[in-house]
Structure formats: structure tokens, C-alpha cells
Amino acid sequence: MANQWEQLSTLSHPTRQAILDRLRDGPYTVGELARQLPVSRPAVSQHLQLLKSVGLVTEDRRGTRHYFQLSPKSLAELRAHLDSLWRDALAAFSDFSKKEPTIDVAKSKKPRTNSTKRSR
Amino acid sequence: MLPSQKNHEPIQQSVHVDCSLEDAFRLFTDGFAEWWPLALYSITGAKANRCEMEPWRDGRVFERTNEGEEHDWGSVLEWDPPKHLRLSWHPGSRDEGSQTVDVEFTVEAQGTRVTVIHTGWEAHGVGVCSLQRDSLAMWQVALKNYFPVVVWEQMLVIA
């Protein structure tokens, strides 16, 4: 089951992050990745299978070669998650600001410029 | 670096608040522990007790558990009250590299616009994503350690 939590915990490994970084440039084979990273080919293969199992990476066969690439869908999901995170956080901040005593800008722009303390 | 693609662009969200620039900056930073929706977004889920932003340059942003453990989210890279704040952002990860969160405060009619720009998330997105979205995710984390996948999936369906 490629749920979001699994995707995220799968990401949190330095080698897998390094693999994902490389894949940002485009599709690579296991061999090509192994040459660029300080890990063995079987290890790269194992990490790729894990990334694939949670839907972060897809595999394409071109002739006899297998190419791995980032799944655009998973990047979009990550983006959606972060959009929600900051939207929720800012909504919470806005609610908080309404409860705290502040200088009300709307009121303070009236001719008298004395600060008007607002407390709700 | 890759050519810019829509999916890789910074995350940007903003909100209007009915207060001055100075107040908005002060509430955002000094009040961080009070407004951050910790029940929704934290590293340690149900164990999270409080989050903090030390309101100065190089200050830490972190969460503390009920047992007093501290987990860093990032630190204050730039501190320019009342207009701008820049944080490094890597919750749950020691990688302090590539993610930054800029918070911009700008005057607009009847108050202040607060804009968050989160950059570099696509490179090491796991950092920020260690802030779980909801209790469902927290349950998954908690249960994962104790039950076979099938069992906790069923439990979640029942719940």
C-alpha cells in the first residue's frame, strides 16, 4: 500500500535520497546509478525496488534495459501535502491573531492616530 | 540543478491578518508555540507536547515531547523584523541543506499579508514531510510497529 506515510519514511534514507536526487535529471538504469554513488549495484537495485513499491519511482523497459524515473504523481502528492500544511498553519495563525490583543490597523488609520488596543 | 518545472516550484501560501506589520511579525514569532497546529503537524505525533521558535537570528525551531526530548525542525537564518524571516527547514532530519522557508510580512488594506514561501522541498522533501498531517497518519505510525499491515488497515477502516 503506497500511502503517504510509507512514501515519506522510505525517503528518509541518505542513499534513497541520493538516488532520487540523481533521478531528478532523468531516467537512469541501475548500473548508471551505481557508478555515481558509493554503494554497490545490488544495493542500488534494492533501494530502487523499495522506492518503486511505494510509488515514488517507476520502471520502464526500453529494449533490454530497465530505466528508473521519478513518478510525477508522487511529487505532486508531496506538493499537495505541503500546500495543505502551510494553508492549515496560516489559517491557525490567522485565528490566533484574532484572539490576541493587537493594534487594529483599520481603526488606527482614522484621523486620530492614537493606537487603539483591541481585545476580544 | 534541473530546469524549473511546475511541480518543483516553491510552495507559496499566504493569509491576511487584521493587524499591523509589527504585530503580525511579533505574533508569528513570539507566539509560534501558541498558534502552530501541533495536533495536526508534528514529528512525534501524540507525544508532541510543545513547539518553539527562539525569536532571534540562529534561534532554533523545534518540538518537545512529553518526556522532554527535543526534535529540531530548523533554525532562524535571517531575522529582519517586521518584514521578513527566513528559516532553514528540516524537521526530523539532520540535513540542514537545501530547504528554506521565507515568511514575508507586507502591508495591505486593513492589515498585513503574511506569505510563506517554501523552497527546496522537492530536493529533500522528507524533512518537512516528517510533520504528519493528521491523527490517521499518527495511528498508522503507532500501529505499524505492532501489527501486521493487514490488521491495522482493518482497524483503520473500522475506526
Side-chain angles (χ1 to χ4, degrees):
Chain A
M1 181 179 130
N3 70 36
Q4 195 171 46
W5 188 84
E6 278 182 336
Q7 282 193 0
L8 303 173
S9 61
T10 301
L11 268 168
S12 65
H13 182 288
T15 304
R16 289 195 281 277
Q17 284 193 355
I19 289 173
L20 292 169
D21 278 350
R22 296 301 186 289
L23 293 180
R24 255 164 258 289
D25 297 335
Y28 281 108
T29 63
V30 175
E32 286 168 344
L33 286 167
R35 277 196 291 280
Q36 296 180 44
L37 297 166
V39 281
S40 70
R41 198 185 155 112
V44 169
S45 181
Q46 218 168 11
H47 286 302
L48 280 169
Q49 289 309 324
L50 188 61
L51 290 168
K52 193 179 147 189
S53 72
V54 296
L56 285 165
V57 161
T58 58
E59 183 177 355
D60 279 331
R61 195 175 184 163
R62 298 180 198 172
T64 57
R65 311 191 80 187
H66 292 252
Y67 281 90
F68 291 85
Q69 60 194 358
L70 285 186
S71 156
K73 185 169 162 280
S74 70
L75 208 54
E77 280 172 10
L78 212 55
R79 183 175 189 96
H81 170 73
L82 293 175
D83 269 329
S84 322
L85 182 150
W86 289 113
R87 196 164 43 238
D88 292 347
L90 288 178
F93 174 62
S94 168
D95 288 346
F96 172 70
S97 75
K98 287 173 192 157
K99 292 177 204 140
E100 289 297 298
T102 54
I103 297 164
D104 190 315
V105 172
K107 285 181 188 164
S108 67
K109 279 191 176 164
K110 285 178 180 175
R112 279 179 63 84
T113 53
N114 288 347
S115 302
T116 311
K117 286 279 179 188
R118 184 181 64 175
S119 56
R120 282 194 208 162
Chain B
M1 277 308 228
L2 258 198
S4 166
Q5 293 171 22
K6 188 170 184 295
N7 256 344
H8 296 180
E9 282 168 10
I11 307 286
Q12 185 164 334
Q13 293 284 341
S14 75
V15 74
H16 170 91
V17 287
D18 291 329
C19 58
S20 68
L21 214 56
E22 289 76 11
D23 277 335
F25 189 92
R26 179 177 57 79
L27 292 176
F28 194 96
T29 53
D30 290 357
F32 186 72
E34 288 166 76
W35 67 261
W36 183 270
L38 197 65
L40 290 178
Y41 297 105
S42 69
I43 296 171
T44 57
K47 285 165 72 186
N49 178 262
R50 189 176 169 83
C51 59
E52 296 273 2
M53 180 190 298
E54 294 174 345
W56 54 78
R57 193 190 160 92
D58 296 331
R60 295 165 63 215
V61 184
F62 61 99
E63 85 183 46
R64 192 179 293 119
T65 65
N66 294 321
E67 292 92 37
E69 282 172 31
E70 292 182 353
H71 299 268
D72 281 340
W73 293 7
S75 59
V76 179
L77 298 176
E78 290 177 29
W79 179 260
D80 310 310
K83 290 188 169 171
H84 175 238
L85 181 69
R86 175 173 289 173
L87 308 172
S88 67
W89 192 256
H90 49 93
S93 147
R94 288 183 185 280
D95 167 42
E96 298 184 17
S98 45
Q99 292 191 71
T100 56
V101 171
D102 283 283
V103 190
E104 290 171 0
F105 300 82
T106 47
V107 175
E108 68 177 12
Q110 312 291 309
T112 301
R113 178 146 297 269
V114 182
T115 305
V116 169
I117 302 163
H118 183 167
T119 310
W121 60 275
E122 79 288 358
H124 295 282
V126 63
V128 73
C129 291
S130 295
L131 298 180
Q132 297 297 320
R133 176 158 37 194
D134 52 31
S135 53
L136 183 69
M138 290 173 202
W139 273 106
Q140 287 173 346
V141 175
L143 294 173
K144 214 173 147 69
N145 297 323
Y146 299 103
F147 298 103
V149 169
V150 176
V151 176
W152 61 257
E153 276 183 358
Q154 283 170 352
M155 289 183 66
L156 292 170
V157 170
I158 293 163

